[in-house]
Amino acid sequence: MSELESSIKQAKEALAENNAKKALKILKPFKSSLRKTNADNVILNEVFADAYLDNGQVEKAYPFLERACELDPEGQVGGPNKFFTMGQIIGGQDGVSIITRGIMNISSTAGDNLTNDQVEKIVGGLLSMIEIWMTDLCMEPNAEEQCEELIQRAMELTEGKSPESWSTLGSIRISQQKFGEAYEAFSQAWNFFDLKKQEIGNDITDNNDVTQMTGLQSEYVDLLQPLLSLVKMCLEVGAYEVALKVVAAVRDIDEDNIEGHYLEGFTYYLMSKFETFKLNNPEVKLHPENIYEFNQVIQEVPLDLSHELITQFIYDSRLALSFALQMCTNVDSKDEVVQELLGGANALLQEIGGPVDAKEILRAKKGETVNENEDFEELDLEEEFSD
């Protein structure tokens, strides 16, 4: 194995461990060679693109990705992934065309016998195309028709068992204001995400191969973003119970996920408003089809602190948001996402009574049942929070 091949292998291993900076450091000695001796090296261009993308540097990744697509138009050397990534970056009709090229490459290679991995890649490409049609091309007269055709194809390929496809279907139904159908789609998405999470978890438990273990753990962590997106969409149609189940799954994967704790707190906040509205307006029946209108006036709904269920929802919201605030203090203060979550948590807490006591956070962190009216023993907080 040459020095270049060895370095590419090491860089890919670093990327599998979510260490883009390490990968870039390994690749750095070969960067200048891409202008000369390695200008036509598809794999080197691809791994440079992947490393920059994973490091959040899309502009630096773009020329490497573009070059790899030019050098390998049929995906025979580096595979089809670069076309899907390129299409997402470019967007618009050109993006759809590039993703279509990637799908055609897979289909021509596989023939009539698609592997599970090939199906996943094709479906991922189809869902990316739907996203483009729903954003960049949403004003095109055939946008809705294209989305329907693409989602049906994704469903057929996966026999209706893809959680990502169900989430996308729900998003399409929201755009069509078919909120009841969106609710059902998100419920199905959760069911299949739950199965997927359990399967990966079981594979991790039963696997002793270091390389395979790294890949499985990466798959497990990769569930976070689609799960967090699912929570947000569930809240749009009032699927609060589903949202809480999804949040619990996020916590299983990453117990310190700030956005997960924020969304849990926000879900309980919405539930307290929802219950208050039902108590004050018993003649109005809230359901997914009219929950959108309810969300528009939710700030105007006064909270009823005399009702036990509502009081518990508010306390659960305060506890989750307090967790989020505590975690925000331990991360980069310049992170825009963290700052947005911090601002949102503070705004909600200001309305519902402020953060809970640090002792209660500690008890909850240990998994102990916490009650707002309970007397707490003195605890060494400094020691407990120092890890």
Side-chain angles (χ1 to χ4, degrees):
M1 183 182 295
S2 68
E3 182 181 355
L4 174 58
E5 291 172 331
S6 177
S7 295
I8 289 175
K9 180 182 178 181
Q10 291 174 39
K12 288 183 175 181
E13 290 172 352
L15 291 175
E17 297 168 357
N18 297 311
N19 194 337
K21 293 188 184 302
K22 179 181 178 181
L24 287 169
K25 185 176 180 180
I26 293 169
L27 295 170
K28 186 177 180 180
F30 302 97
K31 190 172 182 179
S32 61
S33 71
L34 283 169
R35 301 192 196 97
K36 299 177 183 178
T37 54
N38 287 312
D40 296 336
N41 190 313
V42 175
I43 303 302
L44 184 57
N45 275 283
E46 283 192 13
V47 75
F48 258 109
D50 290 340
Y52 277 124
L53 285 170
D54 285 3
N55 202 42
Q57 296 172 283
V58 178
E59 291 184 2
K60 288 190 174 183
Y62 184 86
F64 296 105
L65 197 58
E66 183 179 38
R67 180 63 176 159
C69 290
E70 291 173 354
L71 291 169
D72 187 28
E74 303 300 323
Q76 295 297 314
V77 180
N81 289 351
K82 54 182 168 288
F83 300 110
F84 299 140
T85 305
M86 189 73 169
Q88 287 177 298
I89 292 174
I90 293 177
Q93 192 60 62
D94 288 341
V96 169
S97 298
I98 292 174
I99 293 172
T100 301
R101 190 200 305 177
I103 292 174
M104 291 176 64
N105 288 345
I106 295 175
S107 299
S108 62
T109 300
D112 296 328
N113 300 308
L114 290 168
T115 65
N116 290 335
D117 183 56
Q118 288 170 327
V119 168
E120 282 190 17
K121 288 180 178 178
I122 290 176
V123 170
L126 294 172
L127 299 184
S128 294
M129 290 166 69
I130 291 173
E131 184 178 352
I132 293 173
W133 278 108
M134 291 182 69
T135 51
D136 299 358
L137 303 176
C138 65
M139 300 306 292
E140 296 293 322
N142 62 334
E144 184 174 345
E145 180 184 350
Q146 287 293 323
C147 288
E148 290 292 342
E149 289 181 7
L150 292 167
I151 194 62
Q152 289 307 314
R153 187 178 173 194
M155 286 293 187
E156 290 170 6
L157 281 169
T158 59
E159 299 179 342
K161 297 177 182 179
S162 162
E164 294 86 358
S165 295
W166 280 107
S167 288
T168 300
L169 176 61
S171 180
I172 293 171
R173 295 294 177 256
I174 285 180
S175 71
Q176 297 169 331
Q177 296 191 330
K178 297 178 180 179
F179 300 110
E181 293 181 29
Y183 188 109
E184 292 303 318
F186 295 143
S187 297
Q188 288 280 31
W190 160 242
N191 290 336
F192 287 111
F193 267 126
D194 190 28
L195 286 173
K196 188 173 183 178
K197 172 177 169 289
Q198 291 180 40
E199 289 172 1
I200 297 173
N202 290 337
D203 287 343
I204 290 174
T205 301
D206 298 338
N207 202 303
N208 294 319
D209 185 277
V210 176
T211 302
Q212 291 182 6
M213 181 76 74
T214 299
L216 288 168
Q217 288 172 337
S218 180
E219 273 188 68
Y220 201 57
V221 173
D222 285 345
L223 290 175
L224 281 174
Q225 286 310 312
L227 286 172
L228 290 168
S229 296
L230 179 59
V231 176
K232 298 169 191 175
M233 291 188 289
C234 283
L235 298 183
E236 291 190 54
V237 296
Y240 302 132
E241 296 298 333
V242 177
L244 289 176
K245 291 177 182 178
V246 182
V247 164
V250 169
R251 194 163 50 242
D252 285 344
I253 298 170
D254 179 11
E255 64 180 358
D256 294 328
N257 188 279
I258 298 173
E259 188 172 7
H261 285 290
Y262 171 80
L263 288 172
E264 180 180 12
F266 187 49
T267 302
Y268 279 121
Y269 168 81
L270 292 177
M271 292 171 73
S272 68
K273 293 277 188 169
F274 184 83
E275 291 299 324
T276 297
F277 184 86
K278 287 201 303 182
L279 286 173
N280 295 334
N281 303 275
E283 75 284 358
V284 178
K285 301 300 181 184
L286 285 174
H287 47 77
E289 295 295 356
N290 66 9
I291 202 75
Y292 180 82
E293 296 175 21
F294 169 72
N295 286 337
Q296 304 308 302
V297 299
I298 199 167
Q299 288 293 333
E300 302 170 15
V301 177
L303 290 168
D304 183 354
L305 301 180
S306 65
H307 194 277
E308 184 178 351
L309 177 60
I310 295 171
T311 302
Q312 185 60 52
F313 285 157
I314 292 171
Y315 180 71
D316 290 338
S317 177
R318 290 175 60 213
L319 184 61
L321 292 170
S322 298
F323 263 115
L325 284 184
Q326 184 189 92
M327 291 172 190
C328 282
T329 63
N330 299 321
V331 297
D332 185 358
S333 60
K334 296 180 181 179
D335 189 311
E336 292 182 6
V337 174
V338 171
Q339 288 305 309
E340 185 177 344
L341 293 173
L342 183 61
N346 278 319
L348 290 174
L349 284 168
Q350 187 173 0
E351 181 183 351
I352 60 178
V356 301
D357 187 271
K359 297 176 183 178
E360 297 174 63
I361 297 177
L362 179 57
R363 291 280 298 276
K365 188 176 182 181
K366 289 182 175 180
E368 299 176 21
T369 302
V370 180
N371 185 290
E372 187 174 17
N373 299 315
E374 184 179 353
D375 291 330
F376 290 91
E377 298 177 0
E378 291 297 322
L379 298 170
D380 187 352
L381 299 181
E382 182 178 349
E383 178 181 349
E384 293 291 342
F385 286 119
S386 62
D387 53 26

